[in-house]
Amino acid sequence: MTTEIQTEPTEVQTTRGGVYVIDRSRPRLRAGQGLLTGLDVVFRHFRDALTRKLEKPSQQTGVFTVQYPEERLKLPEAFRNFPILLYDDETGHELCTSCFQCQRICPPQVIHMTQARDPSTGKPVPAVAEFLIEYDACMSCGLCAEVCPFDAIKMDHEFEYSTDVHGGLTINKEALNRPISYYEKIAPSFWAEVKDSAMKKLQGNMKRRPDLIGVAPQMVEKIRAKRAESAAAQAPAPASATPDAAPADKAARLAAARARAAEKTAAEASAEPVSESTPADKAARLAAIRAANAAKKTDEGATEAPAPTGGAPTDKAARLAAIRAANAAKKSAEGADAASAPPAAEAPAPTTGDAPTDKAARLAAIRAANAAKKAAAQNDGSEE
Amino acid sequence: MTDILRSWIGGALPDWVIVLIAYLLVTTIVLFYAVGNFIMMVWAERRVVARMQDRLGPNRVGPAGLLQPIADAVKMFTKEDIVPRSADQWVHLLAPIVSLAPVAMMLAVIPWGRGWEPIDLNVALLYIVAVSAVSGVGLMMAGWGSNNKFALLGAMRAVAQLVSYEIPAVTALLTVVILAGGMSLLELPYMQAGVPLMGATILCGDAAGCSPSLYTTVTSFPGSPGEPVQALDLGLGWWVFTPVGLLGFIVFFIAALAEGERTPFDIPEADSEIVAGYMTEYSGMKFATFYIAQYILNFALSALAATAFLGGWQGPGVAALANMGGPWVHVAAALSAFYLLAKIWVLFFVMIWLRGAFPRLRVDQLMDFAWKLLLPLALVNIVSASLMVGLTQWTSAQWGGLLSLDGFAPWQRQLIAILVTAIINIAAAYWILSINQRPTQEEWIEEELVVAS
Amino acid sequence: MNTLITILFVVFAAFILASAIMTVTVKNIVHAALWLISSFFGVGALYLLMEAEFLGVAQVLIYVGAVSILILFAIMLTRDLEGSQNRQLTPRWWIALIVPAALFGLLIVPTVMTYAWQLPPPPAGQSPAISGAQQIGTAFMREYLLPFEVAAILLLVAMIGAIVIAFEERERRRRVLTLAEQVRLRRQQRQPAPLPEPAATAIQASEATGGES
Amino acid sequence: MPSMTEAVPLPWVLTLAGALFCVGLFGALSRRNTVGILLGIELMLNAVNINLVAFWRYLEPNVVAGQTFALFIITVAAAEAAIGLAMIIAIYRARQTVNADEVDSLRG
Amino acid sequence: MGWFLENAWLIPLLPLIGFAVITLTPIQRNKNASAWLATLLMVGATIIAVGTAVEVAGGVKIAMDGTVAAHAEESHAAEPAAEKGAGHGFEWRDPNIVRTIRWAPAGGDVPFTMGYIIDPAVAAMLMMVTVTATCIHLFSVGYMAHDPRQARFFSFISLFTAAMLAMVMASNLLLFFMAWEIMGLCSYLLIGFWYDKNYADPNQITPRQAAIKAFITTRIGDVLFMIGLAWLWTEAGTLELGAGPGQVFNPELLERLATTTTGIGISAATGIALLIFSGTIGKSAQFPLHVWLPDAMEGPTPVSALIHAATMVSAGVFLTARTFPIFQVSDALPVVATIGAFTALFAALIAVGQFDIKRILAYSTLSQLGFMVAALGIGGWVAAMFHLLTHAFFKALLFLGSGSVIHGMEATVGHDSNTAQDIRNMGGLRRFMPVTFLAYMAGFLALAGFPGFAGFWSKDEILADAFRANTLVWVVLSLASLLTAFYMTRQIMVVFFGSFRGHHPRQQPYAFVSHDDHHYEAHDPHESPWTMTTPLVILALFAVFAGVVNLPFDGFHHLADFFGQEAGKLNLLVMGISGAIAIGGILLGWLVYRNAFASSAEEADPLERMMPGVFTVLNRKFYFDELYAATVGVAAAVLARVWTWLDEQVIDRVVVETGRLTRFLGQVNFIVDDALLNDGADLMATGTQVAGDRTRRTSTGKVQDYVALAFAGAVVLGVLYLYLVR
């Protein structure tokens, strides 16, 4: 080989950073010389691939394969996969205020949430009661994190979610919750930008949250244990009435947060959930949230509710409302006594089905049941 | 092999049974050898090409991915064998067999080591050429029997390529025939003893004092045919070191690439153009048969190239060990077999290397290359080879009294011959390359403008 | 061993004849060509049996490797009008059957069987000298030099003739440009014709005036 | 060393060659397809070659003439195949048929 | 000892390699490389040729089996061969080496061979050819430096040199003839080298016309030569040179040739000799076929020097010299002598009337070749060869000198050969080109036969032989030699003395109107570069001193001894006369031309003023071109007319009349038929028609049916033979 064609790259600094320049100009090649040059280049790659890895961008030869499970590339800060929710490490308070911005903007409509209410007053508080994201349909666009005014929802770096069950990819709030320190670790500079404003807003929100509402479920136990400890240390205090009513399991907590009537909540919550946390369980919860939202909407327009049933329901909320209204009409006809019984009987039926392939059907069933229940309760309340 | 069996079994069986068993045994060994090499070649190709592309290649199945071919084979065995409904059933079925059988038959005459020769055929070179030409029929059958236009196109391309490149290949092998004075492959490694460039022409001055580890007995050497003499032997007198052999080797190797459908010439199965050529309609074991045929063909052609030009099993130490006699002969045979295998693998590595480096040719370029470049070079090389033989072996009587080299020592004659042939070959190569140069930019621009207007 | 050879001969003969009969009777012309190839193989094997190794190998090389490929090519270049369902034999195929049958039964068999072949006596001890490739080559260069040259010329003439006969005149063969060439061509076509340089025109003008004065 | 000359009588070989010749002749006479005719002719040439080789082997094993002429015939066959197929292709181009009984410009 | 002889085949091979390399390899794209390659190869060939000559002079002989015998003095060289008379002493000597290979079978016992043969004559010729060719190659490097087709030029002259050398060395008359023809081809190619050149004067011959003319004219002689060879082969069954059995100079064969009488009354030897001599006439441009040589000067000047002065034209003489034993036994020698002597005088006369510097030299060449032929005709073999060698040197010198002069003139008058070669436009060049002048003077004195120079000795030997053999020939040759001195003096005076007239050249009658030559006026002629003057100096040395190889004094007959032939005898009377003739010719020339063209180039020639009619005849070359045009050309045209007339008037008429007659007969027949024979004939016709219709069905037009019928016929015949006849 007479011509050395592969000169070492030189780094040139530009305003936007360094650029590697490789001089590929070569003298005129005689017959066959180009072939030999090609062979030379390939052999150099072969030789170097046996001995070294490709590490620097200036390096042109060497193995660039990353043996994935064993070796991983460092992910860039801006890498995004699925959204997560943040909570404060110390207080356990979630940053989310249940503003519904993310739910609205989500293009595939996979975010669902219910706002928490003050159990004593029934007034909504700036905290989220339940938060579900369907990871299996999420397209990782990151719009939710973009719009979140409280920096409560962020994009995670974790990407190994492969499973053979679709339903297992509907994630609830407990699974979505991450401490701020976790996010600070994976994206330090991003968090540093928003840290101050986010914490300030959180402080404001925390003031409006009574008791443990808006605290991450993981932290609830801890806090409660701490309180119990301190209470045991002082005396059996009448301070906490709610803990008695709230069972240990998540579904019960969800129901507790969701229910407006405190006395009814405990009974319903104990009847509704099933023993295992099957997908159907989660789906049921999702349906519950939806139904709750729909019910909330009917709060605002109960008199208008029958109207959409006549026309073509174009929007999801309207459809839900229509189902709910229909069910409510049925239930109100049957009477207030029977109102709670059929949902309780119906709800377990889909969940015990061992092959829940038709998610939509299940969802609709649960949703309808819950909506009917809520509507009945609401009707009772409003008629009375 | 027959003798060994005879000594083992003795008179227990009739003689023809022993012969039959020996033949079957040798066939089995050779085929296993070839198939084992095939498996290693598949693995090596994937690994080496991967390294050339800065990848790692298969490394999950078995240590360093060694069991990957086995896994592939299992997959191939268990795949469904699909025959298109409109295909010609029998032709479609027979095609892979017809293309594999001749390739396997080629292995019969190659000397795998010193004394390890399956069959001594006195027209072995012609036999190999003839038998390799038969596989073209198999390809044609595959293309036609599939009743698929891509398959037919691929088969036509394959056969046209095979037929075209057979001519330079045979012409390049003719130089070997001229140099060796015969077509037997067994003699070739023995003839390529000696030292590089000079061959077995440096004679022992003192017959008594020559070390048997350095000198070997040569019977036919230039100057005094027939009389055995002692010549310096390092086992490196390969013909590729002479100008004639070098040019012949280059031409033959390129033609072998084309015959084996290796990468710059893999036009018949150009997957970006005609799906997979004649193999389009094949799956499962039949496809695997084509695959095996192709790799064993590469293996056999590499072995042939090594035997014809690179000294075959010849290498340093073989003759010395063989001269020691007794069990050392078997050690020499093993060493020689290793040498041949090493040469084959070096050639196969070059094939992979070319695959890693070069893009596929176009059909017209392929034909141009064969007819305008390789064939003239090979023809010139024949002239050179004749001159080489004449200069090193003829007496002045055979030159018609015009050129008398009788008084020269063999090495002097060899030196003269090498100089003359080197000049001829270099001049011819330069000339042929220069007249085949692509037109300069101005010329073709003009031509194209004429066409465009 | 003689029995073995006899058996081999019979097998080969049957193979050759069966293949030949299939060649002439089978409907599909491609199949006919393939049967012809197998017949060629049988003949090659017969040559080997007769210890004409060079000829056997040459038979395989030329017939199987070249001629049959040529035939297959020709079939495939002309085949689309010839469906295999068409009638394959001429209407007067029975004449064509009678003539060879008569030739064989009336002439060949009686002649061959009744002629007294002057076979040389079997050699005592060693087998007779069989001529190999080297002798054939020597013969070609010595006593058959003229036929050899004539055969060479025949092949050359056949080659040229085949090309001339089968050559299809194209309007104009167009070279396929590579991508790089196309790009360069475009670029050159885009460039306007270079204007004459002002210095040159000045010189020309001065020359013109100088010539006049 | 056993040899063919002792195992098989010469007339057998000649009969085989004659039969092959007649089969080839039948093919050449009866095929409609021109290529089929060519196939028959190739068979006939092979039959002649078998005869030549047999005579060489049985009668004059020391003389190369038999093999030499067989080689000449192979050469002629190759030339004939090339020219014949070229003509077939030319006919096909001109008349869009390869049927021998449609190519009858000689008809009286 | 003997290496050069063993490897003498390299001598023609080296220029042939030069030809092949220049023609076939890309070296042709580089002008200098091809020129120097050819020249260097020629130098190599020269070295080998000189070595060969030295070895031959040393008496080395190599037999067929390779044994080397070196004897300083051949015994038979001393003894006179035969006392047949003056100069008839030629005898074929055994060559020093013969090496042949067989290459083609012939009908007779002896196959055709190729090979080389070296004897003293060949060695001398080889040395002469290689030396002059090398000088001319070197000269051409400078002369052709500005020609775009330089590589082609060198390729051609290399091929020519190779052919000439091969011819000289040929062991066989067939090979001799092949090389001879290649030379003819090269001559054609080189005369027409500037094939794209056109002249304003439509009557002036252009290079391509000249090439065709030369080719066709020499072809006449060559065809006759070939017929002679065929005849010789028929008679002898061989064309091998040599005196042994199976060779053409075998004494018994010569005897048979001399005694065989043909149908036209001459002996076979005479017929063969005359036919072979026709080759000489064509190649050496002797009298009836002389017309091509002057026109061949349209080629480049080195070509004129090499081919048309030194080597190829003398090949004709060499042919006669080579086959001299046949001439000796024939009656053709008087013819040879007559033609030679006539050409010598005739051409010398024409030379007096020419103005083109190269044409003067061309006619001089004709004249000198006439001398050699005449010398052969009177049996002076040694004298002819001697003159051939010396003439080659000094005529090559003169041509190269004229080339140098033209090269210098072109700087002044432009690249127009009509102007640049016209001696009237020259004058006084000795001041501008001293080296050329001195070399030219040497050549002039040698050619004029000034005592002491090479030409004097060789010409004197011819004259001495002629004086002894045939007084008439001697007188004619002496006249020619006087004229030689005269016209050469004329040329020298006009070209090199007087005042330079090139700044105002003669107006050409057909000159192009717009000349771009005016800017040359400022230049004076200049001396040529060293590559051109060096060969001149070398050749000048030869021209001055080459005569010493064969002085007519006892003990100085080196050349004759070298050839192993009888030496010419000293004749002081003849020597004195010829010396006086030479000096007289020079004086005469000086007297006539000392003031010629003193005023301007337009002035008339002094001789023209004295004898206008005679001068015009001479200037128009005795009207030979016109004569040939009027005879041969007109004859051909007339013959064509006659054939046209015959075709149109006789043959066509016969055909037409036959047709008419047939038609008339047919009409008569029709009447008879219609009236008398119709009914029966109708029946027959119907029967035939029906039968034909039936038969016709067998002719299906299908090849297969025909083949089937043929085989069926064969079967039937075979069955008849097998079962019925036998």
Side-chain angles (χ1 to χ4, degrees), chain E residues 1 54-61 69-78 96 120 558 561-562 564:
Chain E
M1 283 304 273
V54 167
E55 283 185 354
V56 171
V60 179
K61 289 206 173 191
H71 9 210
E73 200 59 41
E74 270 298 321
S75 56
H76 63 72
N96 296 58
H558 304 296
D561 295 344
F562 181 62

Side-chain angles (χ1 to χ4, degrees), chain E residues 167 280 355 419 433 488 491 518:
Chain E
M167 187 209 78
T280 302
F355 291 113
T419 319
M433 318 172 80
M488 280 314 292
Q491 193 189 36
H518 51 272

